[in-house]
Tab-separated table of all heavy atoms in Angstrom:
chain	number	residue	atom	x	y	z
A	332	LEU	N	100.796	24.588	66.517
A	332	LEU	CA	101.011	23.579	65.480
A	332	LEU	C	102.463	23.148	65.406
A	332	LEU	O	102.773	21.967	65.192
A	332	LEU	CB	100.528	24.125	64.141
A	332	LEU	CG	99.008	24.348	64.078
A	332	LEU	CD1	98.640	25.079	62.799
A	332	LEU	CD2	98.271	23.026	64.149
A	333	VAL	N	103.386	24.090	65.551
A	333	VAL	CA	104.803	23.729	65.525
A	333	VAL	C	105.140	22.807	66.704
A	333	VAL	O	105.874	21.828	66.582
A	333	VAL	CB	105.671	24.994	65.550
A	333	VAL	CG1	107.159	24.639	65.761
A	333	VAL	CG2	105.518	25.772	64.252
A	336	LEU	N	103.905	19.404	65.894
A	336	LEU	CA	104.736	18.741	64.911
A	336	LEU	C	106.061	18.281	65.522
A	336	LEU	O	106.582	17.211	65.189
A	336	LEU	CB	104.987	19.692	63.731
A	336	LEU	CG	105.478	19.040	62.448
A	336	LEU	CD1	104.545	17.930	62.005
A	336	LEU	CD2	105.585	20.093	61.348
A	362	VAL	N	97.114	14.012	60.583
A	362	VAL	CA	97.634	15.180	61.303
A	362	VAL	C	98.279	16.146	60.330
A	362	VAL	O	98.074	17.363	60.377
A	362	VAL	CB	98.626	14.736	62.385
A	362	VAL	CG1	99.268	15.953	63.049
A	362	VAL	CG2	97.924	13.880	63.420
A	363	LEU	N	99.065	15.611	59.412
A	363	LEU	CA	99.731	16.479	58.449
A	363	LEU	C	98.733	17.127	57.505
A	363	LEU	O	98.933	18.261	57.053
A	363	LEU	CB	100.771	15.672	57.671
A	363	LEU	CG	101.997	15.248	58.511
A	363	LEU	CD1	102.882	14.305	57.711
A	363	LEU	CD2	102.799	16.477	58.947
A	364	ASP	N	97.636	16.411	57.166
A	364	ASP	CA	96.561	17.040	56.390
A	364	ASP	C	96.039	18.263	57.124
A	364	ASP	O	95.800	19.319	56.535
A	364	ASP	CB	95.402	16.053	56.177
A	364	ASP	CG	95.678	15.099	55.036
A	364	ASP	OD1	96.590	15.359	54.234
A	364	ASP	OD2	94.951	14.074	54.949
A	365	ALA	N	95.862	18.105	58.424
A	365	ALA	CA	95.349	19.232	59.210
A	365	ALA	C	96.348	20.374	59.207
A	365	ALA	O	95.976	21.545	59.102
A	365	ALA	CB	95.068	18.769	60.636
A	366	LEU	N	97.610	20.044	59.319
A	366	LEU	CA	98.632	21.082	59.289
A	366	LEU	C	98.694	21.750	57.913
A	366	LEU	O	98.931	22.946	57.796
A	366	LEU	CB	99.992	20.483	59.657
A	366	LEU	CG	100.109	19.970	61.111
A	366	LEU	CD1	101.415	19.229	61.292
A	366	LEU	CD2	99.999	21.128	62.090
A	367	ALA	N	98.481	20.925	56.864
A	367	ALA	CA	98.502	21.483	55.511
A	367	ALA	C	97.328	22.423	55.293
A	367	ALA	O	97.421	23.353	54.489
A	367	ALA	CB	98.454	20.359	54.485
A	368	ASP	N	96.228	22.188	56.025
A	368	ASP	CA	95.054	23.059	55.903
A	368	ASP	C	95.199	24.342	56.722
A	368	ASP	O	94.350	25.212	56.660
A	368	ASP	CB	93.792	22.313	56.384
A	368	ASP	CG	93.281	21.375	55.318
A	368	ASP	OD1	93.720	21.495	54.165
A	368	ASP	OD2	92.423	20.525	55.653
A	369	THR	N	96.257	24.426	57.541
A	369	THR	CA	96.407	25.544	58.478
A	369	THR	C	97.604	26.409	58.063
A	369	THR	O	98.638	25.889	57.655
A	369	THR	CB	96.621	25.000	59.905
A	369	THR	OG1	95.587	24.066	60.203
A	369	THR	CG2	96.582	26.124	60.932
A	370	HIS	N	97.450	27.691	58.195
A	370	HIS	CA	98.493	28.630	57.761
A	370	HIS	C	99.667	28.583	58.740
A	370	HIS	O	99.646	29.182	59.804
A	370	HIS	CB	97.908	30.042	57.690
A	370	HIS	CG	98.799	31.022	56.993
A	370	HIS	ND1	98.848	31.124	55.623
A	370	HIS	CD2	99.675	31.923	57.476
A	370	HIS	CE1	99.705	32.071	55.287
A	370	HIS	NE2	100.226	32.574	56.409
A	371	VAL	N	100.732	27.861	58.411
A	371	VAL	CA	101.924	27.753	59.257
A	371	VAL	C	103.134	28.181	58.429
A	371	VAL	O	103.344	27.679	57.323
A	371	VAL	CB	102.119	26.304	59.758
A	371	VAL	CG1	103.390	26.202	60.594
A	371	VAL	CG2	100.928	25.862	60.581
A	372	LYS	N	103.911	29.107	58.952
A	372	LYS	CA	105.098	29.581	58.235
A	372	LYS	C	106.353	29.327	59.079
A	372	LYS	O	106.289	29.082	60.275
A	372	LYS	CB	104.976	31.076	57.936
A	372	LYS	CG	103.812	31.429	57.014
A	372	LYS	CD	103.761	32.920	56.739
A	372	LYS	CE	102.613	33.274	55.806
A	372	LYS	NZ	102.544	34.720	55.542
A	373	ASN	N	107.498	29.434	58.359
A	373	ASN	CA	108.806	29.371	59.030
A	373	ASN	C	109.016	28.066	59.800
A	373	ASN	O	109.509	28.054	60.920
A	373	ASN	CB	108.984	30.566	59.983
A	373	ASN	CG	108.829	31.883	59.250
A	373	ASN	OD1	109.298	32.029	58.119
A	373	ASN	ND2	108.176	32.845	59.905
A	374	LEU	N	108.569	26.964	59.169
A	374	LEU	CA	108.771	25.659	59.791
A	374	LEU	C	110.267	25.316	59.720
A	374	LEU	O	110.886	25.457	58.672
A	374	LEU	CB	107.952	24.606	59.055
A	374	LEU	CG	107.665	23.317	59.811
A	374	LEU	CD1	106.809	23.595	61.033
A	374	LEU	CD2	106.937	22.350	58.893
A	379	LEU	N	112.531	19.660	61.851
A	379	LEU	CA	111.221	19.051	61.617
A	379	LEU	C	111.081	18.417	60.240
A	379	LEU	O	110.829	17.215	60.110
A	379	LEU	CB	110.102	20.089	61.823
A	379	LEU	CG	109.849	20.500	63.280
A	379	LEU	CD1	108.787	21.578	63.345
A	379	LEU	CD2	109.415	19.298	64.100
A	380	GLN	N	111.252	19.241	59.198
A	380	GLN	CA	110.960	18.726	57.867
A	380	GLN	C	111.878	17.585	57.472
A	380	GLN	O	111.438	16.539	56.986
A	380	GLN	CB	111.041	19.848	56.835
A	380	GLN	CG	109.782	20.686	56.760
A	380	GLN	CD	109.745	21.513	55.475
A	380	GLN	OE1	110.793	21.797	54.879
A	380	GLN	NE2	108.549	21.876	55.065
A	383	LEU	N	111.273	14.242	59.403
A	383	LEU	CA	110.033	13.607	58.966
A	383	LEU	C	110.200	13.001	57.578
A	383	LEU	O	109.750	11.883	57.307
A	383	LEU	CB	108.880	14.618	58.975
A	383	LEU	CG	108.333	14.998	60.358
A	383	LEU	CD1	107.370	16.148	60.233
A	383	LEU	CD2	107.670	13.799	61.007
A	405	ALA	N	101.723	11.080	53.215
A	405	ALA	CA	102.141	11.902	54.342
A	405	ALA	C	103.257	12.864	53.929
A	405	ALA	O	103.298	14.022	54.360
A	405	ALA	CB	102.604	11.015	55.493
A	406	HIS	N	104.156	12.389	53.072
A	406	HIS	CA	105.241	13.241	52.605
A	406	HIS	C	104.703	14.419	51.804
A	406	HIS	O	105.157	15.555	51.937
A	406	HIS	CB	106.214	12.414	51.765
A	406	HIS	CG	107.431	13.187	51.339
A	406	HIS	ND1	107.672	13.532	50.020
A	406	HIS	CD2	108.470	13.688	52.065
A	406	HIS	CE1	108.806	14.214	49.949
A	406	HIS	NE2	109.310	14.314	51.172
A	407	GLN	N	103.730	14.142	50.959
A	407	GLN	CA	103.101	15.228	50.191
A	407	GLN	C	102.432	16.230	51.129
A	407	GLN	O	102.482	17.439	50.913
A	407	GLN	CB	102.080	14.652	49.208
A	407	GLN	CG	102.680	13.947	48.022
A	407	GLN	CD	103.446	14.908	47.118
A	407	GLN	OE1	102.922	15.948	46.717
A	407	GLN	NE2	104.698	14.572	46.828
A	408	ALA	N	101.775	15.727	52.182
A	408	ALA	CA	101.155	16.630	53.151
A	408	ALA	C	102.210	17.496	53.829
A	408	ALA	O	102.011	18.694	54.051
A	408	ALA	CB	100.381	15.818	54.183
A	409	LEU	N	103.356	16.882	54.139
A	409	LEU	CA	104.431	17.630	54.782
A	409	LEU	C	104.924	18.752	53.877
A	409	LEU	O	105.212	19.864	54.333
A	409	LEU	CB	105.583	16.674	55.142
A	409	LEU	CG	106.796	17.297	55.832
A	409	LEU	CD1	106.399	17.896	57.170
A	409	LEU	CD2	107.886	16.251	56.023
A	410	LEU	N	105.021	18.462	52.578
A	410	LEU	CA	105.476	19.481	51.641
A	410	LEU	C	104.522	20.664	51.583
A	410	LEU	O	104.909	21.780	51.253
A	410	LEU	CB	105.640	18.877	50.245
A	410	LEU	CG	106.760	17.844	50.090
A	410	LEU	CD1	106.739	17.264	48.681
A	410	LEU	CD2	108.116	18.472	50.380
A	411	CYS	N	103.245	20.409	51.866
A	411	CYS	CA	102.247	21.473	51.767
A	411	CYS	C	102.111	22.283	53.041
A	411	CYS	O	101.358	23.264	53.073
A	411	CYS	CB	100.872	20.869	51.413
A	411	CYS	SG	100.794	20.216	49.739
A	412	VAL	N	102.756	21.867	54.119
A	412	VAL	CA	102.557	22.556	55.395
A	412	VAL	C	102.938	24.029	55.331
A	412	VAL	O	102.183	24.883	55.788
A	412	VAL	CB	103.320	21.832	56.526
A	412	VAL	CG1	103.381	22.694	57.785
A	412	VAL	CG2	102.659	20.508	56.819
A	413	PRO	N	104.084	24.424	54.743
A	413	PRO	CA	104.439	25.848	54.790
A	413	PRO	C	103.639	26.704	53.798
A	413	PRO	O	103.759	27.922	53.820
A	413	PRO	CB	105.927	25.875	54.428
A	413	PRO	CG	106.364	24.444	54.415
A	413	PRO	CD	105.148	23.641	54.126
A	414	ASP	N	102.894	26.086	52.890
A	414	ASP	CA	102.281	26.851	51.809
A	414	ASP	C	101.152	27.737	52.300
A	414	ASP	O	100.519	27.482	53.318
A	414	ASP	CB	101.730	25.914	50.738
A	414	ASP	CG	102.865	25.360	49.892
A	414	ASP	OD1	104.015	25.736	50.143
A	414	ASP	OD2	102.573	24.537	49.002
A	415	ASN	N	100.946	28.790	51.502
A	415	ASN	CA	99.806	29.664	51.789
A	415	ASN	C	98.502	28.932	51.468
A	415	ASN	O	98.432	28.141	50.541
A	415	ASN	CB	99.885	30.946	50.956
A	415	ASN	CG	101.023	31.820	51.418
A	415	ASN	OD1	101.393	31.791	52.593
A	415	ASN	ND2	101.586	32.584	50.495
A	416	GLU	N	97.499	29.249	52.206
A	416	GLU	CA	96.192	28.613	52.021
A	416	GLU	C	95.486	29.242	50.826
A	416	GLU	O	95.528	30.440	50.628
A	416	GLU	CB	95.369	28.840	53.283
A	416	GLU	CG	94.207	27.911	53.451
A	416	GLU	CD	93.639	28.061	54.843
A	416	GLU	OE1	93.516	29.193	55.306
A	416	GLU	OE2	93.342	27.025	55.466
A	495	LYS	N	105.925	18.832	44.981
A	495	LYS	CA	104.506	18.602	45.267
A	495	LYS	C	103.823	18.022	44.034
A	495	LYS	O	103.965	18.534	42.940
A	495	LYS	CB	103.835	19.901	45.690
A	495	LYS	CG	104.306	20.386	47.051
A	495	LYS	CD	103.642	21.665	47.454
A	495	LYS	CE	104.239	22.834	46.684
A	495	LYS	NZ	103.730	24.136	47.154
A	499	TYR	N	98.061	14.648	45.110
A	499	TYR	CA	97.747	14.942	46.503
A	499	TYR	C	96.727	16.066	46.598
A	499	TYR	O	95.741	15.990	47.349
A	499	TYR	CB	99.023	15.302	47.268
A	499	TYR	CG	98.728	15.808	48.667
A	499	TYR	CD1	98.400	14.913	49.685
A	499	TYR	CD2	98.741	17.170	48.954
A	499	TYR	CE1	98.103	15.362	50.952
A	499	TYR	CE2	98.456	17.633	50.224
A	499	TYR	CZ	98.128	16.724	51.224
A	499	TYR	OH	97.815	17.181	52.479
Side-chain angles (χ1 to χ4, degrees):
L332 294 172
V333 171
L336 197 55
V362 175
L363 290 173
D364 279 345
L366 294 172
D368 281 346
T369 308
H370 192 82
V371 178
K372 297 181 179 179
N373 303 320
L374 200 64
L379 288 177
Q380 278 196 336
L383 286 171
H406 185 248
Q407 287 294 309
L409 180 62
L410 293 176
C411 291
V412 167
D414 284 359
N415 291 331
E416 199 169 43
K495 291 180 284 187
Y499 172 78

